[in-house]
Amino acid sequence: MSKWPDDDVILYDGVCIFCSRWVRFVAQRDTAKRFRFTPIQSVYGAGLARTFGIDPEDPDTNAVVHGGKAFLKSDAALTVLSHLPGWSWVRALFAVPKPLRDLVYSLIARNRYRIFGKYDACFVPDADLRTRVIE
């Protein structure tokens, strides 16, 4: 896995409604404010994406840098959730074979705009969340 100098950074598709809801979901439950966020459409986010082999023009995954390593697809989602208060139980889902987890993840990711919709521009977070966004 590739290294990145910043830790606990979640890379997401800023125009994807589902992805933006994911960011808000995490931010509301992350009482320690451990995670920060970067849209793939930002300069910082695009650089992070390219480092981990994600095409910023056609992202098919979110990612999280945790412990100096990048986690993609279902590993990213489970890693984030497992570090939120009250969500440590999701660690048990790592027992599900990765190809199966990633198959489900990819199915949703490929169809996210059709299912959930898309913003015309990156969503603008409220003032509290804005302090945790890296652009």
Side-chain angles (χ1 to χ4, degrees):
M1 292 189 187
S2 300
K3 296 281 187 181
W4 190 255
D6 293 324
D7 209 25
D8 292 327
V9 176
I10 297 172
L11 174 71
Y12 69 98
D13 181 353
V15 297
C16 168
I17 291 174
F18 180 73
C19 305
S20 297
R21 287 182 183 157
W22 163 248
V23 167
R24 288 191 290 263
F25 175 90
V26 171
Q28 289 170 352
R29 287 155 183 80
D30 182 16
T31 54
K33 297 186 177 186
R34 158 188 227 143
F35 292 103
R36 292 172 297 146
F37 312 93
T38 186
I40 200 164
Q41 291 80 5
S42 70
V43 172
Y44 180 88
L48 180 63
R50 281 191 283 281
T51 297
F52 299 131
I54 301 168
D55 179 359
E57 300 300 318
D58 188 25
D60 65 348
T61 183
N62 75 350
V64 64
V65 178
H66 177 72
K69 298 177 186 167
F71 296 90
L72 306 174
K73 297 190 179 197
S74 64
D75 284 344
L78 294 178
T79 297
V80 171
L81 286 172
S82 70
H83 285 87
L84 297 177
W87 285 81
S88 60
W89 62 269
V90 301
R91 288 186 181 116
L93 296 176
F94 281 111
V96 174
K98 182 175 172 43
L100 180 58
R101 287 187 283 118
D102 282 350
L103 178 69
V104 173
Y105 183 96
S106 293
L107 181 64
I108 294 168
R110 271 194 311 273
N111 295 292
R112 69 191 183 279
Y113 295 146
R114 189 165 35 94
I115 297 169
F116 302 102
K118 182 177 178 181
Y119 294 121
D120 292 330
C122 285
F123 92 102
V124 178
D126 62 29
D128 184 50
L129 182 53
R130 180 118 235 22
T131 63
R132 298 170 63 187
V133 174
I134 306 168
E135 295 189 281

